[in-house]
Amino acid sequence: MSLIPSFFGGKRSNVFDPFSLDIWDPFEGFPLSATLANLTSSGGESSAIANTSVDWKETPQAHVFNVDLPGLKKEEVKVEVEDGKVLQISGERSREKEEKDDRWQRVERSTGKFMRRFWLPENAKVDQVKAAMENGVLTVTVPKEEEKKPQMKSIQISG
């Protein structure tokens, strides 16, 4: 039972529920929203996109992205740099095979395609990007160019 009444329609029972996989669609009921919904092959795809958590920290040497991808293998994830400006992390989490006698009691894990894109700053060395996956966390490291400090030259004043 929800502690917060649903203001967004019947789908979402709690706006603060971290396990809620429903995404509020402000255009629900409009003719265009049905067309857009048909573009995705499964309803879980949009929730997989929304639930892919990413932390981005900047160190003096690099930009470091940590992406939570529990249960995925590195072969199921793609890391790309588009036009030298955009870091794109994408992949797909497949549904578990259903056996004839299985009966699901609850399904909370997202399935489907996911994609996250980040505009990289000017100082990113996109030709030296590295990625590693360990314990369900993808770490993408984008080295930074060294900042050129202005050189100061003392000028003697004559006179």
Side-chain angles (χ1 to χ4, degrees):
M1 180 179 204
S2 173
L3 297 176
I4 300 172
S6 174
F7 297 109
F8 305 116
K11 280 176 147 181
R12 188 176 206 155
S13 60
N14 185 343
V15 261
F16 299 109
D17 180 5
F19 298 109
S20 174
L21 298 181
D22 295 324
I23 297 175
W24 175 60
D25 181 6
F27 301 107
E28 186 175 355
F30 287 101
L32 178 62
S33 68
T35 305
L36 292 175
N38 291 333
L39 293 176
T40 60
S41 60
S42 74
E45 283 189 24
S46 61
S47 60
I49 291 170
N51 289 324
T52 305
S53 301
V54 179
D55 293 337
W56 175 1
K57 82 175 166 184
E58 183 176 358
T59 68
Q61 298 81 25
H63 296 277
V64 181
F65 298 82
N66 290 313
V67 186
D68 286 342
L69 299 171
L72 289 184
K73 299 176 195 132
K74 66 180 183 177
E75 295 82 17
E76 298 171 311
V77 179
K78 223 192 300 189
V79 178
E80 302 169 302
V81 176
E82 183 181 305
D83 295 328
K85 299 175 188 169
V86 180
L87 175 68
Q88 179 172 299
I89 302 166
S90 61
E92 184 169 2
R93 180 175 288 124
S94 302
R95 289 185 189 264
E96 211 172 295
K97 291 181 181 167
E98 211 171 310
E99 299 295 325
K100 182 180 177 185
D101 297 331
D102 288 349
R103 194 173 114 203
W104 291 98
Q105 297 296 320
R106 187 170 183 97
V107 177
E108 292 184 343
R109 297 184 302 160
S110 301
T111 58
K113 296 178 183 179
F114 64 89
M115 178 176 48
R116 297 294 306 268
R117 296 168 55 99
F118 302 92
W119 282 95
L120 294 172
E122 294 286 328
N123 65 352
K125 292 183 179 179
V126 293
D127 57 330
Q128 297 178 16
V129 175
K130 290 186 170 60
M133 189 135 167
E134 188 176 335
N135 296 327
V137 178
L138 172 70
T139 301
V140 180
T141 305
V142 182
K144 292 171 31 177
E145 293 178 2
E146 288 184 32
E147 287 185 35
K148 294 184 180 182
K149 297 180 181 176
Q151 293 183 348
M152 297 294 279
K153 182 179 175 185
S154 292
I155 311 271
Q156 278 201 331
I157 302 172
S158 61

